[in-house]
Amino acid sequence: MIGYGGDYNPEQWDRDVWDRDYAAFEQAGINTVTLGVFAWAHLQPAEDRYDFATLDAIVDRATAEGRRIVLATPSGAMPPWLARAYPDACRVDFEGRRHVYGQRHNACPSSPDFRRLAVALAGRLAERYGANPAVVAWHVGNEYGGACYCPLCGAAFRSWLRKRHGDLDGLNRAWNTTFWSHVFGDWEEVQPPTALSEHWRGPNHTAFQGITLDYRRFMSDALLDGFVAEKAAIRAHVPRTPVTTNFMGLYQPVDYHRWAPHLDLASWDNYPPEDPSAARTAARMALAHGLVRGLRGGDPFWVMEQTPSVTASRDVNPVKRPGVLRLWSWQSVAHGADAVLYFQLRQSRGACEKYHGAVLDHAGRTDTRVFREVAALGREFARVGGALTGARTPARVALLVDWDSWWAVEMSDGPNRNVRYLDVLTSYHRALWQANAPLDVVPVTADLSGYDVVVAPLLHVVKGDFAARVSAFVAGGGTFVTTALSGRVDEDDNAFPDDGPLAPLLGLWVEETDAQQPDVVNPVSLFGAAYEARHVFEVVRVTDAEVVGAYEADFYAGTPAVTRAARGRGGAWYAATLLDDAGVAAVVGAALAERGVTGPLADVPDVEAVTRAGADGTRWLYVLNHGERRAVACPVSGVDVLSGRELVAGEELVLEPADVLVVRQ
Amino acid sequence: MIGYGGDYNPEQWDRDVWDRDYAAFEQAGINTVTLGVFAWAHLQPAEDRYDFATLDAIVDRATAEGRRIVLATPSGAMPPWLARAYPDACRVDFEGRRHVYGQRHNACPSSPDFRRLAVALAGRLAERYGANPAVVAWHVGNEYGGACYCPLCGAAFRSWLRKRHGDLDGLNRAWNTTFWSHVFGDWEEVQPPTALSEHWRGPNHTAFQGITLDYRRFMSDALLDGFVAEKAAIRAHVPRTPVTTNFMGLYQPVDYHRWAPHLDLASWDNYPPEDPSAARTAARMALAHGLVRGLRGGDPFWVMEQTPSVTASRDVNPVKRPGVLRLWSWQSVAHGADAVLYFQLRQSRGACEKYHGAVLDHAGRTDTRVFREVAALGREFARVGGALTGARTPARVALLVDWDSWWAVEMSDGPNRNVRYLDVLTSYHRALWQANAPLDVVPVTADLSGYDVVVAPLLHVVKGDFAARVSAFVAGGGTFVTTALSGRVDEDDNAFPDDGPLAPLLGLWVEETDAQQPDVVNPVSLFGAAYEARHVFEVVRVTDAEVVGAYEADFYAGTPAVTRAARGRGGAWYAATLLDDAGVAAVVGAALAERGVTGPLADVPDVEAVTRAGADGTRWLYVLNHGERRAVACPVSGVDVLSGRELVAGEELVLEPADVLVVRQ
Amino acid sequence: MIGYGGDYNPEQWDRDVWDRDYAAFEQAGINTVTLGVFAWAHLQPAEDRYDFATLDAIVDRATAEGRRIVLATPSGAMPPWLARAYPDACRVDFEGRRHVYGQRHNACPSSPDFRRLAVALAGRLAERYGANPAVVAWHVGNEYGGACYCPLCGAAFRSWLRKRHGDLDGLNRAWNTTFWSHVFGDWEEVQPPTALSEHWRGPNHTAFQGITLDYRRFMSDALLDGFVAEKAAIRAHVPRTPVTTNFMGLYQPVDYHRWAPHLDLASWDNYPPEDPSAARTAARMALAHGLVRGLRGGDPFWVMEQTPSVTASRDVNPVKRPGVLRLWSWQSVAHGADAVLYFQLRQSRGACEKYHGAVLDHAGRTDTRVFREVAALGREFARVGGALTGARTPARVALLVDWDSWWAVEMSDGPNRNVRYLDVLTSYHRALWQANAPLDVVPVTADLSGYDVVVAPLLHVVKGDFAARVSAFVAGGGTFVTTALSGRVDEDDNAFPDDGPLAPLLGLWVEETDAQQPDVVNPVSLFGAAYEARHVFEVVRVTDAEVVGAYEADFYAGTPAVTRAARGRGGAWYAATLLDDAGVAAVVGAALAERGVTGPLADVPDVEAVTRAGADGTRWLYVLNHGERRAVACPVSGVDVLSGRELVAGEELVLEPADVLVVRQ
């Protein structure tokens, strides 16, 4: 069964509304409800008083209705009394200001009082509801993120640093504190990096990258500690039910790779930023799905939230066009989701999410386009979904994502503040996505040996044994692709005192790094065509590599812009500049070609084709039309389980925009 | 007599300058001086010491010169000693920062010390000068506005909330606090909504609209309390002289409708924002004049300030072109002003207004264009003004302005942050203005029964008995026009749990609300033409209305964009999207036409024609040329009292750009 | 010998790196090293402990290698222990926030503890190294700037004000405090002007210009006090070696003219902002060189820093194109530099300057383009430089720079916030630069009698005896050029109560000042052509001057836009609006022509020609090609000492882009 449903907060309505809700859920095939996400205030109206009556009724009703329950701990938003009793449970922001009560996601992760109270409540919830078999997953907190810079966090940071760097000598060396007279002589001198200490203009402008980088790691770990503590409290009562928390996909502040080992189940909230191109939006979701699937070694994951219609928090919130809800939901499944849930089932009456879309609107109407689309999809999932869950993705290509590089390259002074990690990552990903290359999205610590091609855009930080492992991968016959600004700094953001650890593999060193305004293009000639390069232009000196592409302009015209070094049975590609999408696709295409990696329908733009393989060996090809083209050649033979149609490889198909095939081969 | 003159601060100069000033005033027909607006520091040099010597001299001189005096209380700017003695008389800003002494309009409205001292001084002024018959009006404070978020205001807010919501249950229900675990269990948990509590990005981004909306009402009332207290102190000594304060027209932070009952005389400062189109600027001033006139049931009001030449506080401060001063001043009279005053009579030598224009410049010259224009107008007012004052405006159309809607629609998360209340309000107003429809600008609580047409753009909040009253108005033969996003929320900003209170009248419900970036246009076909719609596109379901216009693009092409519901003897129009000016004019034109409301010269763009009627029944038609066209057909017969010319209805007139007719019919 | 070398921080590396560094320095002709700029933390690891071992080794090595040493005091960045022991040594920013430890240039100039410790360390350094003859200059602090607004600074500000204004009456008069009730009755009421007191939007938006203007002067003086105190500590041990600090050229926060009397040697850091036009960048550097040379009456100065390749702190950091390093370095010499130094000799491994360019990169490579260019220039300097140093610049034209006007015109409310002092100053300077006029850049207090032409753009503030001196200068046969907005306010930023002190000289008064958005152009007819004017348009009334140019548009079309008043044997030009570059060049060209000032190669765009004259009377003509044109007529006869070629006046030369001639006449 594909999980289908979403966040449900019936405590906001009278009981007669519950009856109407469940009637509608029945109509829509909704089998899963997420309960209690922001319920702290009514679960614990005062520090010394718990009240489970309302949640009991809600859980009982859901159970009686035969729904699966995702039960949340409410630590994503503390109640007013907590902030009043423990003012230092509120965060201090980057500007150094202590906040008072308001909003959500507002608790200091280092506050012992908040921790104690959140853990106690998680334990009580587990004790009370853990035995209910309807509870199929635990959902701790909500969208962990943000940061706190308070004195408690300062103290916790210093403890964290002692563990990481051992002594002050290690710290001073790591942070290169001789520069600007920053040599720390006492741990107490170390403060969180804020607008009042090392920063100017904002979080990416810091005098000491090493301090800020460590603080980001620390803060990610501090938030994780809260999750781990609540999970332990649940586990004390609930031995097996999976515990998760809802991630946010490509979210910079939290390093999900540091969190991954602590999850039983990965899940995330799919609210893609608006892109005028539907295909770019689809590719970005595919990347995030891949990232989340990669957290647990390829296990199926959940989409914990998506909107059935509109968001509310954007400046401009367009409705999802007809068919898009179905298309995106099937895309989730194609990439490994075993549940597709909404925020939310019934729309809030007041406060900042009152216009966020829901399965049921304020009036509870079912005669709306949105409800009809939700219900039709629910029926479709119910009809064919059972066979699809639990499958895995057979990948031949790995795309590496590295939070350290993401942080480091964007907080670097020089060469170019316009370089954004996600811009480059998504550009390389789009090339793989358009090629329908069977892809995993994994951390730099992943085992590379099973892949044919490894792509690592903007791998600014090279740490641990990565250089050795990737060299072995290439020597063993793999193809590696990386870009300008890769291999520049170590894990403390110190420049390598030589040509860097990737130089031997790539067969070159970087003599100069030119940077230009966004409107400056240097054409790069590559495979007989010219592509546009922008932002960063490395002037490289090749020691042992083939020059594949060259700059056409400026004083370095004719020097290498793209190279390939043959090493052992494999090869290492280097793009010394930031190419446009077409240029990236040319480089990626050549790299895929040399290992014979060809995806289905690679020649049809904006049509996604993804394979999942069941435990029994059944292969399911998902074909999703994110573009406008209607005619495609069927890439495989089999049965489209959605339409029931028999398909023969090679036959010309009509696939309407936003339509989907799920072909059992 | 039309009041003519302005702010005068002779305390900044030596006595010999006073002589030259009055000689110039005589030349310019200046009959009114506003004294003492920022005089606190010299009236009360220390908490225990008053010194009226300078003001005595100033008042004596003005009285001796036969000028009418507007006497100000100086509470618009406190003296340095006050801030030093009572630091909590200074405000805490939205960022949570306690300010120290500086600028003006800087006092916390909840500070008991500031209140005590301001009231005491107002009382002393009234006691000392109240019997002087030259004092024709009292001017309390100055341009009330801004906000404070200090602990004193927090406490006052809680008191205000107790009165409004009764108990915490009422409060929690109104604010929908179950959302995000905000249920308040103790009044002391409630804090002012700031950047450190419920807000992010700024004052319009709040997690709880209900809290923020109540704080705005509270702050408007808190400022009003200060005015009321000073007025009472004056009334203790001065039984009848009108008390006013200078408003700022279309000023969002203060709800002038909440203040209106406390005014004896409405007045405002006319500094229109720069618009490249002179006609748009003129229309905006007309709207503000109408709003101010509407505060006191159509009574004549005063323009307390305008600049004779330039402002100083804008980034770019152009001079008023020749003739504009006269045109705008007559426009003020046309809309109901019985006084037209300047800021200021003599230019300040130093500080931030030293380049703000004045009747007399730093050198006191009278041989300048500005002085010549001021003096010519003064002579014109003196010659014809007496007969014009006290008249009223016979209106057939009401434009509704609602601060609650203004606040709510702009602090809403979703559907579209680019929707600005004033953009829509002014667009509908311009259509009425270009049609020269006889117009009142009134609150939603106004009696609608006397009007033919009521226009309510962006009436997001519907409260009290409005729905019933407007339905009765329509049933009785009135025409009602409203727009997208109207009737969505109640007075606490909670969405209605059904189709909303206007649905029966309008004969439709809103199924979806699409939003798009500003460059996206959906053409709307209407009366055989196509108009551009932007920002918000409601997909509506008509239950009982005529479809008048339809979308031409997107998946909802062909669905209703403009509707009209016939109800009783009247009709209710709905524009389900934000039309461009031409589209708005088409809708408004049709609505006016169905009640036979036709203004004079409606076919001549940018020529304003406004009627005032004297107590004796005399009707005065003001014709003002804000455009470039020179030839108009005279709409009425009568005498232009400015030129003395006899005019016959229908005759072709030459009316130069910026010229004015005042036709006694 | 031309000083050549730069900042060197070998304390960041092991000793074996030092060996390789000096080998490279030898190869590059590097003769000067700047040591210890940010060395505080290792010189004084704790308040009670000094450790000179590392610096001893560094100094010993440099001495042994025969390098000249510039020895720095490290007060540009305090160590962590200092901030912890004395939290009020950290600054309070404009927003009123106390900073904690971080970054650099972070000390409160009024902190007695910081002062005491900085001075003590400067004294110890002088005592220890002062006798070393290799130390050729002392470098105090680093790039003084920024501002502090703490209570200590508040108290120091009040002391400074007592000296300046004598008593509170003087203060109140100067600041025009009657306006907005600001009359100060006690010195303690005066606070630093910040975002929490007189300011809104930022440092240029103040309610009281007089307060803010005085605070800027005070802060410049407070920073200077720190320099003076350290210098005195050095002088106690070092009687003669020159003491300097590195300025930042056209840097608004610090009034270098107030500092100039305290310098033995002027120096600055040359990091020109990026301009798409190479010639504009060159002109701006020329202006800054001139300004710095003008600080010490034309004495040679030093370029203390420039980058050999890239900066790191800009958003986008392009590399210097081939030849640019040589061209700009020779330009420095042409304008009076006797030393041209780099930041820095070896690149930092970590923190925010790790990508800032250096003579030696992270890997210490000498096989790079940058090192080759550095070394080639070093050899060229070594070959010809000795004869060039110590020369002076024979000027006939003075360009006046005035910090008070710079501050005042940009913090003025009205007429136009888009008017920027540097835009106008650099426009007039470019006209002089393109004409290769022999130029000094001097303060308004300079002796004008030796010049033919004096140009004073945007001289908003006129103070002291300037009006009398410039009138005498003109009467004696000089030509004076000034612009709109000049002569408007006195040194307290109060408007003159008449037509202003320049009116008699200019023969006009300003009746109105129109301002328009940046896209509005009023064409000005001048010498038979039309030029574009923008931003500010004064409507002037000529009393005794010739009208040279007139507006062509708007209601003041035909009125004077450019005038010339004949006075005695000279003339005074006035441009009543802000002309485009071509218009400015026309006015400046006419002014130069009437005194017969013609520079060499004035007709060749973007080729700079500058003369320096040695003590023995030798004249050196520097010709620098900042443009694309290759053919020029040689303006003088002599020997180009760079190529050794004999040149004859009038012969056609090929001068490649970026090439340089140094012609000994």
Side-chain angles (χ1 to χ4, degrees), chain C residues 363-404:
Chain C
R365 284 184 174 277
T366 55
D367 59 342
T368 63
R369 176 181 72 90
V370 168
F371 187 84
R372 282 192 301 274
E373 293 200 24
V374 167
L377 178 62
R379 287 191 296 272
E380 198 168 56
F381 274 177
R383 185 159 52 82
V384 307
L388 303 172
T389 55
R392 299 178 66 86
T393 303
R396 296 182 59 193
V397 181
L399 178 70
L400 304 189
V401 170
D402 181 47
W403 260 264
D404 283 336

Side-chain angles (χ1 to χ4, degrees), chain A residues 41 80 97 99-101 103-104 312 315-319 321 349-352 354-355 362 365 367-369, chain B residues 95 176 180-182 196-199 201 207 209 413-415 417 460 493 495 499 511-512 514 516 541 554:
Chain A
R97 304 175 304 183
H99 282 233
V100 296
Y101 185 71
Q103 304 183 58
R104 61 171 180 174
D315 285 350
V316 177
N317 299 276
V319 301
R321 268 49 203 160
R349 277 200 64 198
C352 67
K354 72 173 180 292
Y355 290 136
H362 296 121
R365 284 182 173 277
D367 59 343
T368 64
R369 177 181 72 89
Chain B
E95 306 291 325
N176 197 39
W180 288 4
S181 195
H182 264 51
L196 304 184
S197 63
E198 299 295 357
H199 283 256
R201 270 175 73 180
Q209 278 73 12
D413 258 26
R417 289 273 177 190
H460 197 56
D493 200 60
D499 299 328
E511 181 180 350
E512 301 189 56
D514 195 23
Q516 296 291 338
R541 299 272 284 274
D554 221 317

Side-chain angles (χ1 to χ4, degrees), chain A residues 253-321:
Chain A
V254 174
D255 183 345
Y256 293 148
H257 289 141
R258 298 176 87 97
W259 283 54
H262 303 277
L263 302 172
D264 302 317
L265 165 68
S267 68
W268 78 292
D269 298 347
N270 183 17
Y271 300 107
E274 293 168 44
D275 191 295
S277 153
R280 286 173 70 101
T281 305
R284 190 183 160 112
M285 289 187 291
L287 172 58
H289 287 311
L291 175 77
V292 174
R293 194 184 69 232
L295 295 177
R296 302 241 337 122
D299 287 353
F301 61 93
W302 286 20
V303 170
M304 191 63 87
E305 298 183 16
Q306 66 171 347
T307 178
S309 50
V310 294
T311 53
S313 59
R314 309 278 165 80
D315 285 350
V316 177
N317 299 276
V319 301
K320 280 183 175 168
R321 268 49 203 160

Side-chain angles (χ1 to χ4, degrees), chain A residues 435-477:
Chain A
N436 286 320
L439 182 72
D440 279 348
V441 182
V442 294
V444 295
T445 52
D447 178 7
L448 307 178
S449 60
Y451 298 107
D452 289 283
V453 177
V454 171
V455 180
L458 273 196
L459 192 68
H460 198 56
V461 177
V462 170
K463 55 198 172 187
D465 62 350
F466 179 78
R469 286 191 297 111
V470 74
S471 297
F473 162 75
V474 172

Side-chain angles (χ1 to χ4, degrees), chain C residues 36-81:
Chain C
V37 176
F38 295 112
W40 198 332
H42 66 91
L43 292 176
Q44 190 179 9
E47 181 164 357
D48 56 359
R49 189 154 53 85
Y50 292 93
D51 177 356
F52 295 99
T54 304
L55 188 57
D56 284 352
I58 291 168
V59 167
D60 288 351
R61 178 65 182 263
T63 306
E65 294 277 354
R67 263 68 191 183
R68 307 196 312 180
I69 294 169
V70 179
L71 197 57
T73 72
S75 51
M78 60 179 152
W81 61 258

Side-chain angles (χ1 to χ4, degrees), chain C residues 42 110 173 303 362 367 536 589 601 625:
Chain C
H42 66 91
S110 307
R173 206 161 40 239
V303 171
H362 296 121
D367 59 342
V536 164
L601 296 170
N625 189 356

Side-chain angles (χ1 to χ4, degrees), chain C residues 320-407:
Chain C
K320 279 183 176 168
R321 270 45 205 162
V324 167
L325 176 66
R326 176 174 178 257
L327 177 67
W328 290 10
S329 299
W330 276 114
Q331 186 194 33
S332 305
V333 176
H335 284 278
D338 276 2
V340 181
L341 308 179
Y342 297 109
F343 184 86
Q344 57 181 337
L345 298 185
R346 175 174 265 276
Q347 204 165 19
S348 280
R349 276 200 65 197
C352 67
E353 289 186 346
K354 73 174 179 292
Y355 289 135
H356 188 103
V359 169
L360 295 168
D361 65 14
H362 296 121
R365 284 184 174 277
T366 55
D367 59 342
T368 63
R369 176 181 72 90
V370 168
F371 187 84
R372 282 192 301 274
E373 293 200 24
V374 167
L377 178 62
R379 287 191 296 272
E380 198 168 56
F381 274 177
R383 185 159 52 82
V384 307
L388 303 172
T389 55
R392 299 178 66 86
T393 303
R396 296 182 59 193
V397 181
L399 178 70
L400 304 189
V401 170
D402 181 47
W403 260 264
D404 283 336
S405 290
W406 190 354
W407 289 332

Side-chain angles (χ1 to χ4, degrees), chain B residues 442-605:
Chain B
V442 293
V444 294
T445 51
D447 178 6
L448 306 178
S449 61
Y451 297 107
D452 289 281
V453 178
V454 170
V455 181
L458 274 195
L459 192 68
H460 197 56
V461 177
V462 169
K463 55 198 172 186
D465 63 350
F466 178 78
R469 285 190 298 111
V470 74
S471 296
F473 162 75
V474 171
T479 292
F480 177 58
V481 179
T482 190
T483 70
L485 299 179
S486 295
R488 291 291 189 98
V489 296
D490 65 20
E491 66 179 333
D492 296 311
D493 200 60
N494 287 313
F496 291 107
D498 51 27
D499 299 328
L502 298 182
L505 174 63
L506 300 170
L508 54 83
W509 56 278
V510 178
E511 181 180 350
E512 301 189 56
T513 303
D514 195 23
Q516 296 291 338
Q517 296 294 338
D519 58 340
V520 175
V521 168
N522 196 319
V524 166
S525 57
L526 186 63
F527 309 129
Y531 300 94
E532 297 190 343
R534 281 188 178 76
H535 299 302
V536 164
F537 312 89
E538 293 178 347
V539 181
V540 302
R541 299 272 284 274
V542 166
T543 51
D544 178 17
E546 176 193 356
V547 177
V548 179
Y551 296 111
E552 294 194 353
D554 221 317
F555 74 90
Y556 39 87
T559 70
V562 178
T563 62
R564 181 185 181 281
R567 293 288 181 277
R569 287 177 287 133
W573 292 77
Y574 190 68
T577 180
L578 301 185
L579 293 160
D580 62 5
D581 271 11
V584 168
V587 171
V588 166
L592 293 176
E594 76 183 29
R595 297 298 141 201
V597 178
T598 54
L601 295 170
D603 56 328
V604 188

